[in-house]
């Protein structure tokens, strides 16, 4: 049972948390200042220490170097006692388990740090065996250049040993790599250790600088996690060392590990600055849901249009011109890298209105392949009487032609030179001559149903909102049943739906997949803490709409942890509660 470690912010596998010592510590952090090591059992028998709330005590242990035979580790595995003070257990990936400690020290790091696949394998195996609300400590390997990647992978605590040793060897460390002291013409840092000339700068000064640089980088990382933008930082930071680039690409292939830990919605802008962005969980998840859950309910032709720099797209000048030409005679779907395709009903849904990409007018081959695959899957799921491609020739046209060939379809192209020229817009208008307009009610109802499909699962739009009324103006739609009782409201900030109690009951009674959190014998108000959770569905993710139910209450709210984390955690907010009804 974890008593002294509580996670407050999550950004994928990275967390900002609190180690509850007498003087609280915010992690990720350097551990030496508050660590007490009870010693290795390899050298002598050790008594269980008395411990203290002032420090994190590493219990008597046996560390194993990377590659140690499993039988040896099993034979010499220590037994960790149940103590009532902040404690840490030493484990290897193969021996990791829930030992009731607040932190777990991963031995053998020098054997896998520096190797992308080995690092990923060790961290994932360990992290999935130890409690979700415990800290992972990776000693002996942190530098200013790699610590952001360590934290991105799921590490909470590090030490400054490697950085200090490098300084005594004349290696001046920065967040972008290593400089040799004898090669420096000036000191590219303003920390206290660097307040002197290069000629006066000693190796001891270099060691102090390296530790300062590591602390400063951890500060940057913590702020990035709080902002939900660590991945943006990693995509640039990992370029400084080849193994770091390999490591985060390895983690991109570890879908289940990252997807479970990545929020469904957030305020942070997603920066699409490299082709690695195509592998992000948020991008893959959106594309998958659009092509497996969402279904267009319009009988009109499809018009494919390019995305815009302004978000949401409908606020842009170019999309205003497209709208004037289309006049509700077609279903508008935007094509974009890195997301793929965005139906008009989902233009507010994270990350469709939350990303910014590098605009050069040229698409890479990887971008073309990705968007073409998403468009192909989208058209296989949605049957349109006609497909009109109002897209520029570069990139977009290449994608459309690939999909035409793959599906044996013929698109109608309306752009001459540029989508917003008078001639192009006139072509679009004339191409839609004779098509009937859809009305405001149909548009609003299809928006609600399309979001429900995306958010709750294929068919959820019809199961939950087959017979509805809508009030207010888009994007602040309120959804009522045929008798006038409110079921849900649209949240413009994230482009999702939030239920009332009546809507939550309809959700539970429907065929749509329900995300449930089972709680103990109490009525929650404001939030449900993890100790009050009895069980939770495995597929609950941070940001999910959830039904909260127990012997004394029925409630609806938003998840603040994943389902597996709720079920096993002993600290922290599991879910916020919006509406509650006491039984």
């Amino acid at each position: 049972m974890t008593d002294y470690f509580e996670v407050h912010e999550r950004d994928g596998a990275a967390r900002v948390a609190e180690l509850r010592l007498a003087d609280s510590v915010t992690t990720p952090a350097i551990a030496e200042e508050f660590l007490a090591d009870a010693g290795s059992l390899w050298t002598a028998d050790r008594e269980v220490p008395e411990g203290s709330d002032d420090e994190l005590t590493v219990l008597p242990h046996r560390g194993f170097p990377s590659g140690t035979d499993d039988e040896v580790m099993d034979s010499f595995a220590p037994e960790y006692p149940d103590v009532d003070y902040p404690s840490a257990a030493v484990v290897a990936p193969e021996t990791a388990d829930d030992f009731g400690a607040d932190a777990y020290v991963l031995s053998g790091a020098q054997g896998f740090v520096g190797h992308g696949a080995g690092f990923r394998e060790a961290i994932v195996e360990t992290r999935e065996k130890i409690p979700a609300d415990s800290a992972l400590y990776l000693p002996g390997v942190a530098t200013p250049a790699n610590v952001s990647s360590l934290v991105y992978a799921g590490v909470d605590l590090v030490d400054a040993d490697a950085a200090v040793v490098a300084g005594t060897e004349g290696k001046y460390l920065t967040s972008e790599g290593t400089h040799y002291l004898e090669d420096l013409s000036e000191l590219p840092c303003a920390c206290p250790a660097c307040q002197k000339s290069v000629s006066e700068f000693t190796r001891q000064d270099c060691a102090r600088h390296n530790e300062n640089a590591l602390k400063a980088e951890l500060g940057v990382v913590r702020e990035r996690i709080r902002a939900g933008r660590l991945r943006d930082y990693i995509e640039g930071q990992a370029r400084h060392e080849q193994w770091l680039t390999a490591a985060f690409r390895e983690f991109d292939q570890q879908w289940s590990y990252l997807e479970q830990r990545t929020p469904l919605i957030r305020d942070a802008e997603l920066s699409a600055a490299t082709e690695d962005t195509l592998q992000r969980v948020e991008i893959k998840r959106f594309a998958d849901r659009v092509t497996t859950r969402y279904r267009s309910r319009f009988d009109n032709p499809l018009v494919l249009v390019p995305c815009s720099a302004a978000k949401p797209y409908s606020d842009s000048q170019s999309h205003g011109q497209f709208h004037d030409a289309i006049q509700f005679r077609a279903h508008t779907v935007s094509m974009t890298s890195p997301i793929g395709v965005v139906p008009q009903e989902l233009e507010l849904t994270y990350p469709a209105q939350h990303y910014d990409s590098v605009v050069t007018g040229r698409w890479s081959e990887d971008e073309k392949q990705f968007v073409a695959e998403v468009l192909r899957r989208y058209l296989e799921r949605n049957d349109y009487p006609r497909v009109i491609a109002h897209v520029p020739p570069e990139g977009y046209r290449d994608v459309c032609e690939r999909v035409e060939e793959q599906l044996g379809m013929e698109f109608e192209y309306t752009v001459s030179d540029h989508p917003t020229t008078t001639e192009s817009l006139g072509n679009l208008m004339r191409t839609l001559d004779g098509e009937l307009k859809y009305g405001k009610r149909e548009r609003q109802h299809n928006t609600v149903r399309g979001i429900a499909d995306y958010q709750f699962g294929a068919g959820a739009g019809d199961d939950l909102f087959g017979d509805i009324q809508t009030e207010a103006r888009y994007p602040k739609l309120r959804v009522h049943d045929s008798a006038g009782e409110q079921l849900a409201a649209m949240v413009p900030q994230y482009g999702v739906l939030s239920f009332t109690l009546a809507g939550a009951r309809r959700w539970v009674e429907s065929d749509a997949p329900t995300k449930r959190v089972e709680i103990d014998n109490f009525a929650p108000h404001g939030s449900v803490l993890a100790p009050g959770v009895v069980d939770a569905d495995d597929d609950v993710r941070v940001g999910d709409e959830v039904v909260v139910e127990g012997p004394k209450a029925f409630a609806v709210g938003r998840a603040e942890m994943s389902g597996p984390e709720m079920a096993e955690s002993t600290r922290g907010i599991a879910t916020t509660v919006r509406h509650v009804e006491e039984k």
Side-chain angles (χ1 to χ4, degrees):
M1 180 176 178
T2 305
D3 294 319
Y4 295 93
F5 187 75
E6 180 175 344
V7 179
H8 294 303
E9 305 280 351
R10 296 165 179 79
D11 187 5
R15 300 96 64 84
V16 169
E18 180 183 6
L19 186 58
R20 295 178 178 273
L21 307 180
D23 292 323
S24 182
V25 175
T26 300
T27 66
I30 295 174
E32 285 113 320
E33 295 178 1
F34 52 83
L35 199 70
D37 189 350
S40 171
L41 293 168
W42 289 120
T43 58
D45 291 333
R46 308 280 181 177
E47 296 293 329
V48 176
E50 293 184 3
S52 167
D53 288 346
D54 293 326
E55 55 197 10
L56 179 67
T57 300
V58 181
L59 299 171
H61 54 272
R62 290 189 182 94
F64 299 99
S66 181
T68 301
D69 186 85
D70 288 352
E71 290 186 7
V72 174
M73 288 190 283
D74 290 339
S75 298
F76 290 95
E79 293 186 7
Y80 289 108
D82 184 15
V83 297
D84 60 359
Y85 50 79
S87 65
V90 177
V91 298
E94 299 83 356
T95 64
D97 203 346
D98 181 358
F99 295 113
D102 303 286
Y104 292 82
V105 185
L106 185 55
S107 64
Q110 290 83 355
F112 54 78
V113 167
H115 307 278
F119 173 70
R120 182 263 303 159
E121 184 177 329
I123 297 297
V124 170
E125 184 175 357
T126 305
R127 187 76 264 180
E128 292 191 336
K129 288 180 177 178
I130 64 177
D133 58 345
S134 63
L136 179 60
Y137 176 23
L138 196 65
V141 293
T143 68
N146 72 24
V147 73
S148 59
S149 294
L150 304 185
V151 173
Y152 175 77
V155 173
D156 303 288
L157 296 170
V158 296
D159 58 33
D161 289 359
V164 170
V165 169
T168 61
E169 295 172 345
K171 297 174 183 177
Y172 186 95
L173 305 183
T174 67
S175 60
E176 71 271 9
T178 302
H179 304 270
Y180 289 94
L181 197 53
E182 59 268 24
D183 296 334
L184 286 175
S185 300
E186 59 180 280
L187 301 175
C189 175
C191 79
C194 295
Q195 302 303 304
K196 55 180 65 176
S197 66
V198 174
S199 60
E200 299 173 314
F201 196 75
T202 67
R203 292 193 173 192
Q204 288 69 34
D205 294 326
C206 191
R208 287 194 292 272
H209 155 78
N210 287 353
E211 186 170 2
N212 290 339
L214 181 58
K215 289 179 178 179
E217 185 67 7
L218 282 167
V220 171
V221 169
R222 289 192 295 269
E223 282 303 295
R224 283 282 177 166
I225 296 170
R226 293 185 181 105
R229 300 197 63 180
L230 181 60
R231 171 59 187 249
D232 297 345
Y233 185 66
I234 288 291
E235 286 192 17
Q237 184 65 15
R239 295 297 190 275
H240 297 305
E241 294 184 20
Q242 284 81 356
W243 87 267
L244 294 175
T245 302
F248 94 80
R249 288 178 177 170
E250 285 283 340
F251 274 93
D252 277 347
Q253 303 307 311
Q254 197 71 32
W255 167 258
S256 61
Y257 179 78
L258 286 183
E259 192 279 330
Q260 178 182 311
R261 294 164 172 79
T262 301
L264 286 170
I265 56 175
R266 49 179 151 194
D267 297 328
E269 180 182 272
L270 187 156
S271 178
T274 75
E275 290 180 19
D276 287 304
T277 302
L278 297 172
Q279 302 302 318
R280 289 183 64 150
V281 166
E282 299 95 322
I283 300 301
K284 289 182 174 181
R285 182 192 277 151
F286 186 90
D288 180 68
R289 291 189 175 200
V290 167
T291 55
T292 63
R293 295 184 173 193
Y294 167 85
R295 181 175 62 82
S296 171
R297 291 168 172 81
F298 293 97
D299 296 326
N300 306 68
L302 166 66
V303 173
L304 296 169
V305 298
C307 65
S308 66
K311 311 290 185 305
Y313 303 137
S314 58
D315 287 351
S316 69
Q317 183 177 2
S318 61
H319 278 244
Q321 292 173 303
F322 302 155
H323 170 76
D324 290 343
I326 294 169
Q327 284 294 312
F328 304 113
R329 295 176 293 169
H331 181 221
T332 304
V333 172
S334 300
M335 295 173 59
T336 177
S337 176
I339 292 179
V341 299
V342 182
Q344 63 190 32
E345 304 97 302
L346 301 181
E347 71 165 7
L348 297 181
T349 304
Y350 182 85
Q353 71 159 329
H354 305 81
Y355 77 97
D356 195 12
S357 59
V358 177
V359 179
T360 63
R362 296 179 298 276
W363 286 24
S364 70
E365 180 58 28
D366 286 347
E367 288 177 303
K368 291 177 183 179
Q369 287 182 0
F370 177 79
V371 178
E373 173 66 11
V374 177
L375 179 58
R376 180 189 63 78
R377 293 170 60 195
Y378 178 84
L379 290 175
E380 287 177 336
R381 181 169 173 79
N382 294 279
D383 186 23
Y384 290 95
R386 302 163 62 195
V387 178
I388 300 160
H390 190 74
V391 296
E394 175 61 41
Y396 293 96
R397 180 72 177 252
D398 294 342
V399 169
C400 289
E401 289 175 347
R402 291 185 189 192
V403 176
E404 280 184 290
E405 182 178 354
Q406 291 169 357
L407 297 181
M409 300 176 65
E410 288 190 10
F411 293 4
E412 300 172 53
Y413 294 94
T414 53
V415 168
S416 298
D417 186 39
H418 192 274
T420 59
T421 63
T422 301
E423 182 180 0
S424 295
L425 294 170
N427 291 340
L428 180 57
M429 291 179 67
R430 287 188 293 274
T431 300
L432 292 171
D433 282 348
E435 297 289 348
L436 298 178
K437 294 183 179 181
Y438 53 81
K440 177 181 177 181
R441 177 183 175 186
E442 182 181 2
R443 182 173 77 252
Q444 291 186 343
H445 289 195
N446 285 352
T447 295
V448 170
R449 292 171 186 141
I451 292 172
D453 284 345
Y454 177 93
Q455 188 175 353
F456 304 115
D462 294 329
D463 288 338
L464 296 170
F465 303 112
D467 184 14
I468 57 170
Q469 305 172 39
T470 51
E471 291 185 357
R473 294 170 60 102
Y474 176 86
K476 298 181 179 181
L477 297 176
R478 295 191 300 273
V479 188
H480 296 253
D481 64 17
S482 57
E485 184 169 23
Q486 186 173 344
L487 302 174
M490 186 175 171
V491 184
Q493 185 178 5
Y494 307 115
V496 295
L497 298 169
S498 62
F499 284 120
T500 62
L501 283 173
R505 291 197 181 281
R506 176 180 282 211
W507 187 21
V508 169
E509 294 165 2
S510 75
D511 292 330
T514 310
K515 305 291 180 72
R516 296 174 182 265
V517 177
E518 181 185 350
I519 61 172
D520 215 332
N521 192 25
F522 67 96
H525 295 282
S527 61
V528 174
L529 300 180
V533 175
V534 175
D535 200 6
D537 288 344
D538 286 344
D539 58 351
V540 170
R541 299 291 178 262
V542 175
D544 254 329
E545 193 79 355
V546 291
V547 169
V548 180
E549 191 164 14
K552 288 190 175 180
F554 178 87
V556 63
R558 181 172 292 161
E560 297 295 330
M561 295 179 178
S562 69
E565 187 175 3
M566 287 186 199
E568 66 177 81
S569 293
T570 56
R571 302 196 71 89
I573 297 174
T575 176
T576 56
V577 172
R578 187 182 315 112
H579 306 291
V580 62
E581 178 180 88
E582 296 189 27
K583 297 181 180 179

